Amino acid sequence: MARVVFEHVGKQYGGGVPVVRDLSLTIENEELLVLVGPSGCGKSTALRMIAGLEGITRGSLFIDDDRVNDTPPKDRDVAMVFQSYALYPHMTCFENMAFALQLRRMPKSEVRARVDAAAKTLAIEHLLERRPKELSGGQRQRVAIGRAIVREPRVFLMDEPLSNLDAKLRSSMRAEIKRLHRELAATIVYVTHDQTEAMTLGDRIAVMRSGDLQQCDTPAAVYERPANAFVAAFIGLPPMNLVPGESRGGIVSVAGGQVRLRWAALRHPHRDGSHAMPGAEGDREVLVGVRPEHLTLDRGFEQNGDARGVVFTGTLELAETTGADTFLHLTTDAGPIVARLSGHTPPRPGERVRVRADVANIHLFDRTTEERLL
């Protein structure tokens, strides 16, 4: 397998807005890295640049020590799995998987051995003589993955391979891809807009926005310590609650006076062991962030909170019960708030509800730059 390195890579079409701007990113040997972000953020373009399907406007792209900017796709030794499966409809599954090997004029015995081994790994031995139209979506995607496996490439590239599957199949295929990564010790670059896939599959997650890399870290680090407000709002279902506030004279306050926090209390270690950024307590406009699962129904807590936590009071607009969890949608003076509760009988819509969060679960961002303060 191989290491992939982007060095200040940019991609621009004509005189338009850059699709990828100054991307510097290293994907380590045998790592499964997930590129995630909203539509149009540049993640698929970055993947296609590795494959050689998109040219590079500026910067350098390396696979191991080879600079591949001008290397034709067929000479890069990478294999790509597409969202649309891209199987030849007139060929059997065996012929689809064997086609690239036959183009290399590989001996028939080795072709058979590689296809049989990949089919066994993917549990599709019984499908090899069928044509794609006779398969389900999940089976087609297994064949497409098998076609990539038999080539034994340096890098596997996967472009939203599960987006056409239903929820149950996506769940089982996520587990299958994770198992394959472990067994093959493969370098995999995986593109998705589905953060559940990103969180469950990736050794690391690279979050992109409008062509820029926002953060690249382990799933836990991206979730618990987002680098900016965009990452905080993008990663997490439901997303982090972000309400505008201000920091003045060492006090953080939010509209309606519902949240008042002293920087002296915030300087204590955060739940992930981190501290406030140096100089963060200066006067500025801020965003106060709380994840829905860190809010609990408050009973008998002071209206304005204290050093131990913060309180939001509002009217319950909607209660969504999913079985294990209930999502409370509140309208407060600070803005809309969503709380995720477990094992609660929800209040009725229209009731006044108060929820609280410990100081250890509060995130602060600069409202102008959106960069993390705490």
Side-chain angles (χ1 to χ4, degrees):
M1 294 303 160
R3 188 169 180 255
V4 179
V5 180
F6 290 86
E7 285 189 357
H8 302 289
V9 169
K11 174 65 180 179
Q12 185 172 358
Y13 295 103
V17 175
V19 181
V20 174
R21 314 166 190 261
D22 198 29
L23 177 61
S24 292
L25 176 66
T26 297
I27 301 144
E28 298 293 349
N29 184 38
E30 300 184 6
E31 179 179 31
L32 197 165
L33 182 126
V34 178
L35 288 168
V36 67
S39 297
C41 71
K43 57 188 185 297
S44 289
T45 301
L47 191 80
R48 291 170 65 85
M49 285 193 284
I50 301 174
L53 303 178
E54 293 282 359
I56 294 173
T57 306
R58 66 186 67 84
S60 297
L61 176 64
F62 296 88
I63 299 179
D64 280 337
D65 296 324
D66 302 324
R67 187 176 184 271
V68 297
N69 288 42
D70 302 314
T71 303
K74 66 183 180 64
D75 297 328
R76 296 193 181 198
D77 195 15
V78 301
M80 194 158 179
V81 179
F82 296 91
Q83 174 182 351
S84 60
Y85 318 133
L87 300 175
Y88 295 109
H90 63 287
M91 292 183 179
T92 66
C93 294
F94 177 90
E95 291 167 340
N96 267 283
M97 292 171 66
F99 185 64
L101 305 182
Q102 292 167 343
L103 288 179
R104 298 180 188 175
R105 300 187 183 280
M106 190 173 287
K108 289 184 178 180
S109 58
E110 187 173 350
V111 171
R112 169 57 71 175
R114 286 198 186 190
V115 172
D116 285 347
K120 184 177 181 180
T121 298
L122 293 163
I124 55 174
E125 307 104 302
H126 60 296
L127 304 177
L128 291 179
E129 298 309 314
R130 296 187 191 179
R131 285 182 167 77
K133 67 179 181 180
E134 303 173 67
L135 308 179
S136 68
Q139 290 170 333
R140 292 180 194 179
Q141 198 56 280
R142 285 171 185 261
V143 174
I145 292 171
R147 180 178 56 188
I149 290 174
V150 298
R151 293 180 55 190
E152 298 180 359
R154 291 196 289 178
V155 182
F156 288 90
L157 306 175
M158 298 189 176
D159 190 5
E160 304 202 40
L162 308 184
S163 61
N164 288 336
L165 307 182
D166 62 39
K168 186 175 180 180
L169 268 177
R170 281 202 303 271
S171 179
S172 63
M173 285 300 296
R174 282 199 306 267
E176 199 68 27
I177 290 171
K178 192 71 173 176
R179 180 184 65 81
L180 282 171
H181 175 242
R182 185 174 59 250
E183 291 182 1
L184 299 174
T187 302
I188 299 177
V189 187
Y190 189 106
V191 162
T192 184
H193 65 273
D194 186 326
Q195 56 181 281
T196 301
E197 286 180 28
M199 294 292 290
T200 56
L201 284 174
D203 295 323
R204 286 188 302 154
I205 300 174
V207 184
M208 296 189 67
R209 176 192 190 188
S210 302
D212 292 316
L213 179 64
Q214 301 293 301
Q215 185 173 4
C216 183
D217 213 326
T218 64
V222 170
Y223 188 80
E224 294 178 2
R225 190 170 173 78
N228 54 44
F230 171 80
V231 176
F234 186 79
I235 298 295
L237 282 175
M240 182 184 289
N241 297 294
L242 292 169
V243 295
E246 60 179 21
S247 175
R248 296 286 184 269
I251 299 291
V252 176
S253 59
V254 173
Q258 295 189 67
V259 178
R260 289 179 61 82
L261 297 167
R262 295 185 179 277
W263 273 104
L266 293 171
R267 289 194 192 100
H268 292 299
H270 202 248
R271 65 188 303 272
D272 58 7
S274 62
H275 295 259
M277 303 294 284
E281 62 268 33
D283 290 355
R284 67 180 80 219
E285 305 297 304
V286 299
L287 290 170
V288 179
V290 187
R291 291 214 177 271
E293 65 269 25
H294 294 149
L295 288 165
T296 58
L297 279 176
D298 176 63
R299 303 184 189 284
F301 200 74
E302 292 182 10
Q303 176 74 15
N304 289 331
D306 62 14
R308 294 172 297 161
V310 296
V311 175
F312 296 99
T313 303
T315 302
L316 180 64
E317 302 293 341
L318 174 67
E320 296 180 299
T321 300
T322 63
D325 298 314
T326 298
F327 298 96
L328 304 184
H329 297 257
L330 309 178
T331 298
T332 75
D333 291 338
I337 294 289
V338 178
R340 179 178 181 174
L341 309 177
S342 297
H344 283 278
T345 300
R348 294 180 180 179
E351 287 187 27
R352 294 289 288 175
V353 175
R354 197 161 57 182
V355 292
R356 68 176 293 267
D358 292 333
V359 166
N361 293 322
I362 297 297
H363 303 258
L364 286 180
F365 304 91
D366 186 287
R367 205 192 311 176
T368 301
T369 66
E370 296 192 349
E371 294 301 310
R372 181 184 186 84
L373 301 173
L374 173 70

